[in-house]
Structure formats: structure tokens, C-alpha cells
Amino acid sequence: MRNVEDRHEEEDRPLFEAVLTPYRSLSPRGFMIFMVCVAAVSFASGALFLSIGAWPVFGFFGLDVVLIWAAFRMNYASARRYEEISLSAHELIIRKVGPGRKSLEYRFNPFWVRLLVQRLDDEGVVKISLRSRGETVSLGDFLNPEDRTSFAGAMVNALAAAKAGRS
């Protein structure tokens, strides 16, 4: 009896796991430096316009700083999303977590799932999706083409290993 349980535990152990996250090149410290520079340039320009009597322009320079800050904050909020992929011999689980921590989970049988990879000659992989029994789920839409190409290769190998029964 113990031997059967050990075998089932081993079969349910993940063969492949990945967490996909969006790439952001500007660190929080870099963001603060950028915003200080934007604010300084806007303040200096606004002060120049204020000195020649065009005082309403000063307010618009301040509005520009606020709008740039808000756009970057929205960008950083969208960067908090991620996708978790876990593939075992009997199940493929995809969990997509959005910026508000709302998540969607998809479960597939790895023997029935089909990996669809769309490529362009000059860009590489532009879209990765999984299809099984009429349901299609896209993966890594937020990745750059190089990372998408790398992930697609790893996913192809992992699915082949799962279908062949290898770990």
C-alpha cells in the first residue's frame, strides 16, 4: 500500500515550474531620480514663464509632472501581475494573477493540451497559447520576444517529457 502512495506522489510532483513576470527596466530608485529631474525642469521652465507674466503656464508644467507620475504608477501597478505554470505527469496548471491580485486558474491534462506558437521572421515568437478541448489560454503576453522564445522552447520540452512519461 505504501509503495502505491509513493508512486502517486512522485507522479504528481511537478516536472516543470515557471513564474512569468513582466520586465521593467526602471527601478524604483531610478523612477525617483527621473521624477526629480522632470520636476526640476518643469519648475525652472514654469518659473521662467511666471517671470514674464504668463502665470497660467506655470500650473500646466505642474500638471505635466503629476500626469507623468500617474502614468508611471499605473505602469508599475500593471507590473505586479504574473503567471505561474506547473506541469506534472497528470496535470498542467496555469494561474494568472492580475495587478489587483485577482487570479484565474486553468487546469489541463498534458496529454490533451496542444501548444501553439506563432512566430515572425524578424521578431521571433510573438504569441504562445495552449489549447485543449475548445479552450485556449495565452501565456506570457507581457514578455519580450526573446523571453517568449526561450519560454516556448522550455514549454515544448516539458510537454514532450510529460507526454513521454519522463521526469
Side-chain angles (χ1 to χ4, degrees):
M1 183 73 108
R2 175 91 170 117
N3 197 10
V4 172
E5 287 177 15
D6 288 342
R7 194 174 68 214
H8 285 295
E9 274 184 33
E10 191 168 310
E11 289 175 351
D12 290 339
R13 192 180 70 228
L15 304 172
F16 175 79
E17 291 182 309
V19 177
L20 306 178
T21 57
Y23 174 73
R24 295 295 185 257
S25 60
L26 190 61
S27 69
R29 184 172 187 268
F31 170 68
M32 286 306 294
I33 292 169
F34 174 73
M35 286 308 300
V36 166
C37 292
V38 167
V41 168
S42 291
F43 182 77
S45 301
L48 176 68
F49 279 96
L50 189 63
S51 70
I52 61 172
W55 59 267
V57 176
F58 186 75
F60 283 107
F61 276 109
L63 181 61
D64 286 347
V65 172
V66 170
L67 291 175
I68 290 170
W69 178 82
F72 270 95
R73 296 313 299 169
M74 287 174 30
N75 183 22
Y76 280 116
S78 72
R80 288 193 294 263
R81 69 183 182 152
Y82 61 92
E83 296 175 2
E84 295 176 341
I85 295 98
S86 178
L87 175 65
S88 68
H90 298 289
E91 190 170 42
L92 171 62
I93 302 169
I94 300 162
R95 189 167 156 246
K96 295 182 169 214
V97 180
R101 300 294 182 216
K102 187 178 4 173
S103 68
L104 294 171
E105 188 169 284
Y106 303 92
R107 293 177 178 266
F108 298 105
N109 182 332
F111 293 101
W112 293 103
V113 75
R114 182 173 173 211
L115 183 68
L116 306 170
V117 179
Q118 294 177 353
R119 298 177 193 271
L120 291 178
D121 291 335
D122 56 341
E123 285 187 48
V125 175
V126 292
K127 185 164 179 69
I128 303 169
S129 55
L130 295 169
R131 182 177 295 156
S132 180
R133 299 184 181 194
E135 187 175 14
T136 302
V137 176
S138 63
L139 296 175
D141 291 337
F142 48 77
L143 296 175
N144 61 45
E146 184 179 306
D147 289 342
R148 227 178 287 135
T149 301
S150 172
F151 174 70
M155 195 68 193
V156 165
N157 293 337
L159 278 171
K163 289 178 181 182
R166 293 175 287 171
S167 56

